[in-house]
Amino acid sequence: MRHQVCIIGGGPSGLLLSLLLRRAGVDAVVLERRSRDYVLSRIRAGVLEQGLCDMLREAGIGSRMQAEGFVHDGTIITAHGTTVHIDFKKLTGKTVTIYGQTEVTRDLYEELDRISAPVFHEAEDVAIHDADSDAPHVTFTHQGRSHRVDCDFIAGCDGFHGVSRNTIPKAVRREFENVYPFGWLGILAHTPPVADELVYSGHERGFALCSMRNANLSRHYLQVPLTGKAEDWSDDAFWAELRRRLPPHLAETLVTGPSIEKSIAPLRSFISEPMSWGRIYLAGDAAHIVPPTGAKGLNLAASDIHYLSKALIAHYAGDEGLLAGYSATALARVWKASRFSWSLTRMLHHFPAEGSFLARMQAAEVDYLAHSTAAQTALAENYVGLPY
């Protein structure tokens, strides 16, 4: 088969790229290793920057997000006896929207189905060929048959373990990584949220986050050692520990209930440079991973797709400049968002191996944040998303 762009990876970034390209008359095909049901079963982030919300509207799929999403004007940070409300709207004029990644993916699937855009699920043995030539192609197996896609460009949206990044020669790649000595134990429960906005809580026993999907579906997290397993934690043990890590006025409002999903995720910061080589262009987790503290994973993938879609569309209109500059442009924002996620992680998590000095520095930082409008504005600007 022949398509102008072959997109490897059918998560939200790959699907959004396909839709934006097709809206501009650029032909694209999506290859996804997993089944559609599997992709839609993954529980992921739910905090959308205003830039991503604008992109979804631009793609023509913002109506359900507009109707069902929860707009948040701020967030709550509490640690070392200090509680700070960061008022995004007052400080930046922008907001964030709570709308699950699964719902974004569902909206994308429905629109791609409506316009008959090709998406191959359970595409196995995907391999990239001649990526450094003018005639790249991709081979894969689907339902027992071998296929070949001849294309102009390959978009690697296939995540950290995908084939795209590893196709770039090791001699070309530079990889930067920081692995954190803990993970997040997360549960999903049919309970009301503990507050109207997200709560980030630093505590000597470890970090906690109270988030939500809607008015009756909460997502909560605890910092835990990586030595344990999710099944080691009963629901009662989780709720008791979460209550310990919240300030009393919030702990009193916590409503508990049976979990419907429970898992432990390790935390890392990872960036691979460059984000392009030959005719391959990386986006999202294929090029970078951030700790979830700053809610940047999906949003950073979306900014990559913003730059890449504009660059590919410009190419087919006769302008090569954006495509040539894609890697440098995307990486400039990637590093800034990664810095924010790293700094928020450092400020609010417990690092027992680093002793009491770090704990006192964290307390000083939270105290400074509480009394400095400039510091609050800087945090708010990063949280709602730096401009594209």
Side-chain angles (χ1 to χ4, degrees), residues 67-117:
E68 300 178 13
F70 289 80
V71 176
H72 281 194
D73 293 343
T75 194
I76 299 166
I77 295 177
T78 178
H80 302 280
T82 300
T83 297
V84 190
H85 179 249
I86 308 296
D87 192 327
F88 302 149
K89 194 168 186 179
K90 179 180 177 181
L91 295 165
T92 70
K94 297 180 180 180
T95 60
V96 296
T97 299
I98 306 302
Y99 188 66
Q101 177 174 316
T102 302
E103 304 310 314
V104 173
T105 306
R106 195 184 311 278
D107 294 341
L108 286 163
Y109 273 141
E110 289 181 0
E111 184 61 15
L112 290 170
D113 287 347
R114 191 187 70 79
I115 63 175
S116 301

Side-chain angles (χ1 to χ4, degrees), residues 256-268:
T256 66
S259 64
I260 55 177
E261 193 271 343
K262 188 184 297 177
S263 60
I264 293 179
L267 270 64
R268 64 154 54 93

Side-chain angles (χ1 to χ4, degrees), residues 26 308-323:
V26 178
L308 184 54
S309 63
K310 299 293 185 188
L312 289 168
I313 292 166
H315 164 82
Y316 288 107
D319 181 356
E320 299 292 334
L322 292 180
L323 204 53

Side-chain angles (χ1 to χ4, degrees), residues 5-21:
V5 180
C6 182
I7 301 169
I8 304 176
S13 57
L15 298 175
L16 180 58
L17 177 60
S18 175
L19 183 56
L20 290 171
L21 293 178

Side-chain angles (χ1 to χ4, degrees), residues 51-357:
L52 173 51
C53 294
D54 292 342
M55 286 179 66
L56 296 178
R57 295 185 190 99
E58 176 190 345
I61 58 165
S63 58
R64 195 162 73 93
M65 173 195 69
Q66 196 80 17
E68 300 178 13
F70 289 80
V71 176
H72 281 194
D73 293 343
T75 194
I76 299 166
I77 295 177
T78 178
H80 302 280
T82 300
T83 297
V84 190
H85 179 249
I86 308 296
D87 192 327
F88 302 149
K89 194 168 186 179
K90 179 180 177 181
L91 295 165
T92 70
K94 297 180 180 180
T95 60
V96 296
T97 299
I98 306 302
Y99 188 66
Q101 177 174 316
T102 302
E103 304 310 314
V104 173
T105 306
R106 195 184 311 278
D107 294 341
L108 286 163
Y109 273 141
E110 289 181 0
E111 184 61 15
L112 290 170
D113 287 347
R114 191 187 70 79
I115 63 175
S116 301
V119 179
F120 286 83
H121 286 92
E122 299 179 88
E124 301 176 335
D125 306 316
V126 174
I128 297 170
H129 308 271
D130 301 328
D132 57 343
S133 75
D134 291 335
H137 67 279
V138 178
T139 57
F140 68 100
T141 303
H142 183 252
Q143 296 179 349
R145 295 181 57 193
S146 297
H147 296 267
R148 169 174 168 149
V149 182
D150 290 287
C151 55
D152 300 327
F153 302 101
I154 298 163
C157 305
D158 49 347
F160 184 77
H161 298 289
V163 301
S164 298
R165 184 180 70 257
N166 291 318
T167 301
I168 301 176
K170 288 185 177 180
V172 175
R173 277 185 282 142
R174 295 185 67 202
E175 297 184 347
F176 305 85
E177 185 174 38
N178 180 50
V179 178
Y180 297 89
F182 44 72
W184 276 15
L185 169 66
I187 72 165
L188 193 67
H190 286 298
T191 57
V194 70
D196 293 336
E197 297 172 337
L198 270 65
V199 177
Y200 290 80
S201 180
H203 193 273
E204 62 183 9
R205 296 178 64 89
F207 171 77
L209 171 63
C210 296
S211 182
M212 72 281 290
R213 291 293 176 267
N214 57 50
N216 292 295
L217 187 62
S218 295
R219 184 79 166 154
H220 300 296
Y221 300 92
L222 293 175
Q223 176 188 347
V224 296
L226 289 171
T227 52
K229 298 179 179 179
E231 52 266 32
D232 297 337
W233 286 79
S234 68
D235 289 349
D236 288 344
F238 180 93
W239 293 119
E241 185 61 27
L242 178 59
R243 191 173 273 114
R244 290 188 195 100
R245 298 187 189 184
L246 295 175
H249 71 282
L250 291 175
E252 291 173 0
T253 68
L254 181 65
V255 178
T256 66
S259 64
I260 55 177
E261 193 271 343
K262 188 184 297 177
S263 60
I264 293 179
L267 270 64
R268 64 154 54 93
S269 296
F270 173 85
I271 299 174
S272 181
E273 300 181 339
M275 287 176 59
S276 64
W277 177 75
R279 294 297 183 103
I280 295 179
Y281 295 84
L282 304 181
D285 288 0
H288 43 74
I289 302 285
V290 290
T293 323
K296 291 294 168 239
L298 174 59
N299 291 298
L300 203 48
S303 70
D304 293 344
I305 296 306
H306 167 82
Y307 296 128
L308 184 54
S309 63
K310 299 293 185 188
L312 289 168
I313 292 166
H315 164 82
Y316 288 107
D319 181 356
E320 299 292 334
L322 292 180
L323 204 53
Y326 166 71
S327 179
T329 302
L331 280 168
R333 196 174 189 278
V334 165
W335 277 107
K336 292 183 183 73
S338 298
R339 181 213 64 82
F340 173 67
S341 298
W342 167 82
S343 65
L344 203 59
T345 302
R346 289 285 295 178
M347 182 172 73
L348 294 172
H349 286 71
H350 181 49
F351 291 81
E354 298 196 35
S356 59
F357 179 80

